[in-house]
Amino acid sequence: MVHETLAATHAVVTLDVGLPGIVWPWKVTMNMWAKSIGTGIIFMLFYLLKRYPKESGNLRFSSTVVALVFIHMFLLFTLADLHQPLRMWHIFFYPHWTSAITVGAWMATLFVVMLFGMAYFSFVKKDNAKFDKLMFWTVILGIPVTLYTAALMSEATARELWQMPTESAQMMLAALLAGSASMILLGKKLSYEAKSSLGVILGLSALTAFILYQSELIFGPMKSEEVIAVLAYVKGNGEYATMFWIGQFVAYVLPMLLVALSRSGRSESILKLAAILALVGLWVVKHVWLIIPQLLPMS
Amino acid sequence: MQLGFLVDLHLCMGCKGCEIACKVENEVPLSTWRLRVKYVDVGMFPETKRTFTPLRCNHCENAPCERICPVSALHYLENGIVNIDKERCIGCAGCVMACPYGAIYIDPETQTADKCTYCAHRIASSMMPACVVACPVEANIFGDLEDPTSNISQYIQDNQGDVQVRKPEKGTDPHHFYVGGGNLQLNPLASKRVEGYSLFNKLTTKMPLGGHH
Ligand code: SF4
Ligand code: SF4
C-alpha cells in the first residue's frame, strides 16, 4: 500500500530533522544474548540432572559459575546501555510496576541471588540435596527472567515487528538453543548419549526458531504496513538482508544439519561445531531483529 | 481538566515560528527538537504542492512511554499532560523505543529523556504554551477538551469529519488533533525520505544517540 501511495503522489520529505538513529544498539544485543546463555544453561543443568543424574552431577558447580558469568555480563551491558547508569538504583526505590524493565530488573536480581546460593551449596557446603532444591526454584524463576525481554519489546508500542507471543517463543527458544549449545561445550565428561540428547534440543529449538522467523518474513507483511517497511530491510537488497541470512544460516540451518550429521556418525566434534555456530549465529539473529525496526521514521 | 492541542493544517504556512519559540522557551539543545514542522512535497511538476505539519508529543491518554518507564520519570499530571521528571530518569531509552510518534529524544547535555510538555511550566502560571503564542496565523489551538465551551472543543465540533489523530491504530488515544490533514501529512510511511533534506544531521558533536547519523 505504501508503494502505491508513493507512486501515485510522489510525496517527498523536503525539510525535516534528521532521524534519531539507533536507540538500542549492540549493547542490547549483548544483553539478550548473554541472558539466553545464563538462563539456558540452568535449564539444561536441570534437564541433565533429571535424565542423567550420575554423569552430570559434577556439572553442578561449573554450570552455576558459567550462568553467573553470563548473567553478570547481561547486567553489565544493561547498565552500560543506560545514559545515566549511576541512577540504576532508582529502579529499586521508585519502581513502576507496569514497566517490564522494572519487573525484569527485580527478577534478574533475585535470580542472581539464587545462583549465588546454588554456588554456595555446591562449592562451600557440598550439599547436593539443597542445591537441587534451590535449583528447582531457580529454574522456575529463570522462565520469566528469560521472557521479560519479550514483554519489554512488546511494550515498545512503536515497533510493530515485535509481537508478544512470537517474541516470548523466540526468547525461550534462544535460551534452549544457547543453553544446550553451551552445555555441549561445557560437559566434556558427559556420555555421547547425554550430549546427543542436548543435540536434539539444539536442533529442535533451531528448527522451531527458524520456522518462526521465516513465517514472520512471509506472513508478517500481510497484516501491517509498518511490518512491510521494516522487513524490507532484510529482503532483496535491504540494508540488513545479508546479515539476516548469515544469522539464519549460522544460528539455525547449519546447526540443524550438523546435529543430524553428528547423529549418523556419532561424532562429538561435529556436535561441538554445531554448538559454536549456534552461539555465534544467535548474536547475529538477535542483532538484526533488534536494529531493523529502529531504522524506520516514526513521524 | 484534559488539556489538548489541535493544529489546523489549512492555516499552517510552515514558518517554523512555533519550532523556534519552543527551542528558546525550553532551551532545547542543538540536534534535538520537541516540536518541529515537517515539509512534504507532493505531486509532479507543474502540479506540485507543499504541505507543512507541526509534530510534537500527543500527550496520549494511554501513553506507551509512561507505561514502559521503569521509574515513573514519565507521569501524568492532573490536567492530562504527560510530563517528565529529568532528575528521576535513568536514561534507559525505553520511552524512545515505545513512543509511536518519535516524540522523545535523549537530551545530549543531561543524558536523560525529554519531550514536549505542552509547556507545563507556563500553564502552571496561566500562560499559553510558547508555540501557541508564536504562531502568526493561530494554527495551534490549545485548551481543555473536557470543557465544551473551550476553543479546542468548539473547533472539533465545527470540523467534525475532518479531525484526525496520528496512528489511531496504536490505541494510544492522543490528545492532539489535526484538521485538514491526511495520510501524507500524518503517516510517515506515506512519503519518501531523500538524503540531504534534513536539518541537524550534519553535526558531529554531542549527538543525542549513537550511530547512524
Ligand atoms: S506521543 Fe509519545 S511521548 Fe507523547 S505521550 Fe504519546 S507515547 Fe508518550
Ligand atoms: S529514558 Fe528515562 S523517561 Fe524514558 S523510560 Fe527510561 S527512565 Fe523513563
Side-chain angles (χ1 to χ4, degrees), chain B residues 6-211:
Chain B
L6 183 146
V7 182
D8 189 337
L9 297 174
H10 296 115
L11 297 176
C12 177
M13 55 182 188
C15 72
K16 289 178 173 275
C18 54
E19 198 174 299
I20 305 302
C22 173
K23 274 259 181 195
V24 174
E25 174 69 29
N26 298 295
E27 296 179 351
V28 181
L30 276 177
S31 85
T32 54
W33 55 273
R34 287 183 175 201
L35 159 65
R36 101 274 189 174
V37 182
K38 177 174 155 184
Y39 291 16
V40 178
D41 286 10
V42 190
M44 292 259 281
F45 182 81
E47 297 298 319
T48 54
K49 193 174 93 178
R50 176 162 288 175
T51 68
F52 312 108
T53 317
L55 298 164
R56 55 167 83 72
C57 165
N58 294 314
H59 295 265
C60 309
E61 184 158 343
N62 180 23
C65 61
E66 188 274 344
R67 185 165 51 230
I68 206 171
C69 179
V71 293
S72 300
L74 283 153
H75 56 277
Y76 296 107
L77 298 182
E78 269 178 18
N79 55 15
I81 288 176
V82 178
N83 201 25
I84 173 123
D85 177 349
K86 292 177 88 168
E87 295 300 313
R88 178 77 70 87
C89 172
I90 62 172
C92 67
C95 54
V96 187
M97 292 299 288
C99 172
Y101 311 98
I104 308 188
Y105 60 93
I106 299 290
D107 183 325
E109 279 160 19
T110 60
Q111 290 296 318
T112 55
D114 202 10
K115 69 173 193 67
C116 158
T117 60
Y118 279 176
C119 282
H121 59 291
R122 288 175 62 95
I123 289 160
S125 320
S126 305
M127 289 191 286
M128 279 285 178
C131 54
V132 176
V133 179
C135 180
V137 291
E138 294 186 30
N140 288 296
I141 292 120
F142 179 73
D144 183 5
L145 292 164
E146 281 177 354
D147 173 4
T149 63
S150 68
N151 267 358
I152 187 166
S153 299
Q154 301 219 316
Y155 220 97
I156 291 173
Q157 285 284 326
D158 294 346
N159 289 280
Q160 273 183 20
D162 193 19
V163 180
Q164 299 101 9
V165 293
R166 286 192 277 159
K167 301 186 184 177
E169 72 281 4
K170 295 282 184 184
T172 52
D173 213 349
H175 287 152
H176 190 296
F177 305 89
Y178 292 90
V179 164
N183 194 37
L184 284 172
Q185 286 102 325
L186 305 182
N187 177 1
L189 299 180
S191 49
K192 236 192 277 177
R193 276 182 177 265
V194 186
E195 278 291 312
Y197 293 103
S198 303
L199 293 172
F200 312 137
N201 64 348
K202 295 278 183 275
L203 297 177
T204 50
T205 53
K206 282 200 170 170
M207 292 308 284
L209 292 161

